[in-house]
Amino acid sequence: MKRAASEVSEENPLANQLSPLGFGCWQLGSKGEDDYWGLEYTQEMANDMLKAAVEKGIRFIDTAADYAKGDSETQLGVALKTLDPELRKELTVASKIVPNQCGSILSALEGTLKRLQLDSIDLFQVHWPIDDNSMAHFALGHASFGHGAKVDASEVPPTITTFRTLARLQRGGFIRHVGVCNFGVEQLKEAMSSGCKISSNQICYNLVWRCAELQGIIDFCQAEGIALIAYSPLMQGLLTGKWKSAEEVPMYRARSRHFNTDRHAPTRHGEAGHEELLFKTLAKLEDIAASHGLSMTTLAMAYPLHKGFATVIGGFTKSSQLDINAGVVATKLGAGLVKELDDATVELRDALGPNTDPWQGLVNGKQTGRVK
């Protein structure tokens, strides 16, 4: 799953290391049907899925300290040890630090490296922008979904100091590349002003979540040589076509700003949502996929790769999902088809607006979106 010569970046070495399809590890460490992903993800599953992913050509592996309270990193660390050492060298392993830990970066990084059983990390990303709004969500370990959690401004680590510390750890050989997730243009500029080289920005982007276009994030990253990584290319299952109405979508999958904030208790974005328009758009996409002889999944996974993204991250729980998605890289969407997809989804994009935060929005007249 190597990059074509035309896709090689001379400015950003990381972009050349990212396989077009990445293995997302949010589901690793899940404890059972009451957990976020509704399944128990065992160590045996982690070992088997990682091996199968690598055999399919995937070379980018993405986890986070926050996933399953560190158990995702732990499972991945064990699974990495089961791979052939020479093959392991070909992988780019990424993890993330939550903004709440940015005041004690070395300690957080040591914890990540210990769980992953590594001496250094290929890509270390700040999970969300460093401010009281972002930190409030993590303050109670997700238990409040942001409600009731308060973070005093004095507790917020300075962004400039954070990235200077990351740059120092990079020079010390503990981090190969520094990246961010969910950063808007203003936040990227602030991070870059520290002198730290920002190699990547991982954002939510897919056919029914194109808000980053309106905020100018994609254009800015491309101009600055920052590799774009797309997470949730299937919008947590919506773009598989398995659900035909909002009522069918499981609770934890119906928290985004697509849905009415009153639909489920954990939802915190405070908006009315666009449920009717969402499913009207999904029906259009199903028709387009059928007319081109493609599955909805293939179409959705391939789309970001045709919109300037270096890689798309898939979360796999079954080998059959890997079989389907492995063909995504070879799927070339012509300019006409990309325009057809753009036109089919632009109404929903414009209705959702430029707020690129899928889970936080306009609450009582105040914009709580974290991506600026």
Side-chain angles (χ1 to χ4, degrees):
M1 209 177 269
K2 293 182 179 179
R3 299 203 162 275
S6 60
E7 298 174 317
V8 171
S9 169
E10 295 181 1
E11 297 179 358
N12 188 348
L14 174 67
N16 303 329
Q17 298 170 23
L18 298 174
S19 54
L21 185 60
F23 182 83
C25 299
W26 191 354
Q27 69 279 14
L28 270 68
S30 294
K31 302 299 188 294
E33 61 181 26
D34 293 331
D35 213 333
Y36 191 95
W37 294 107
L39 81 163
E40 180 184 3
Y41 210 95
T42 65
Q43 185 62 59
E44 183 180 6
M45 288 174 66
N47 296 349
D48 292 345
M49 290 302 297
L50 179 64
K51 182 174 183 289
V54 172
E55 288 175 348
K56 295 291 183 183
I58 291 176
R59 293 294 181 266
F60 178 54
I61 317 296
D62 181 75
T63 185
D66 187 60
Y67 296 165
K69 299 179 180 179
D71 287 346
S72 173
E73 288 182 329
T74 299
Q75 279 197 349
L76 177 58
V78 173
L80 287 169
K81 290 292 186 182
T82 67
L83 298 177
D84 178 272
E86 290 305 309
L87 193 57
R88 163 64 189 91
K89 290 177 184 177
E90 297 180 14
L91 304 185
T92 297
V93 177
S95 194
K96 311 178 190 75
I97 178 175
V98 296
N100 308 54
Q101 294 182 313
C102 286
S104 53
I105 295 174
L106 180 57
S107 174
L109 177 59
E110 287 174 341
T112 283
L113 294 176
K114 182 178 180 180
R115 289 186 290 272
L116 288 170
Q117 302 183 51
L118 298 175
D119 296 322
S120 63
I121 187 85
D122 297 312
L123 174 62
F124 200 49
Q125 306 157 101
V126 177
H127 206 151
W128 281 89
I130 309 166
D131 57 31
D132 56 349
N133 188 18
S134 292
M135 290 170 65
H137 175 56
F138 297 99
L140 297 180
H142 300 284
S144 70
F145 288 90
H147 294 303
K150 298 292 182 183
V151 173
D152 190 88
S154 64
E155 301 174 51
V156 179
T159 295
I160 300 296
T161 302
T162 294
F163 283 94
R164 284 177 177 166
T165 301
L166 289 169
R168 187 169 67 250
L169 290 168
Q170 184 180 29
R171 291 193 296 272
F174 297 102
I175 301 168
R176 287 187 65 195
H177 302 282
V178 176
V180 297
C181 305
N182 306 295
F183 271 47
V185 174
E186 292 177 20
Q187 292 152 337
L188 284 165
K189 287 180 178 178
E190 184 179 14
M192 293 164 66
S193 71
S194 69
C196 180
K197 165 73 174 174
I198 306 299
S199 292
S200 62
N201 188 15
Q202 184 179 146
I203 59 174
C204 183
Y205 184 83
N206 56 63
L207 280 164
V208 294
W209 192 263
R210 295 170 54 197
C211 305
E213 296 174 10
L214 298 178
Q215 208 179 88
I217 297 172
I218 296 173
D219 289 343
F220 180 83
C221 287
Q222 290 177 328
E224 295 294 332
I226 299 171
L228 283 159
I229 300 171
Y231 71 81
S232 292
L234 298 178
M235 200 62 231
Q236 298 193 339
L238 283 173
L239 284 161
T240 62
K242 67 190 295 185
W243 302 305
K244 306 302 180 186
S245 70
E247 289 72 25
E248 296 176 42
V249 182
M251 179 179 72
Y252 286 114
R253 311 294 181 90
R255 297 184 302 119
S256 65
R257 294 198 299 112
H258 301 96
F259 298 91
N260 190 301
T261 196
D262 295 325
R263 179 164 290 283
H264 295 298
T267 305
R268 65 184 190 273
H269 58 70
E271 299 176 1
H274 303 278
E275 295 177 353
E276 183 179 348
L277 179 56
L278 169 65
F279 283 93
K280 174 182 157 186
T281 303
L282 289 170
K284 285 183 186 177
L285 292 173
E286 249 186 312
D287 289 343
I288 292 172
S291 69
H292 288 272
L294 296 169
S295 70
M296 275 268 282
T297 297
T298 298
L299 200 65
M301 293 289 288
Y303 181 74
L305 295 175
H306 292 75
K307 301 291 282 187
F309 283 74
T311 188
V312 292
I313 296 175
F316 308 105
T317 58
K318 302 173 184 175
S319 58
S320 58
Q321 295 169 336
L322 274 168
D323 292 336
I324 293 169
N325 288 302
V328 165
V329 179
T331 301
K332 303 301 179 186
L333 309 182
L337 176 51
V338 172
K339 184 179 186 307
E340 202 176 344
L341 295 170
D342 287 345
D343 292 346
T345 56
V346 70
E347 185 181 0
L348 179 60
R349 182 200 70 174
D350 293 346
L352 287 163
N355 175 16
T356 308
D357 189 332
W359 297 289
Q360 292 188 191
L362 201 61
V363 179
N364 298 323
K366 179 183 178 182
Q367 180 55 256
T368 66
R370 294 162 288 179
V371 185
K372 307 292 184 186

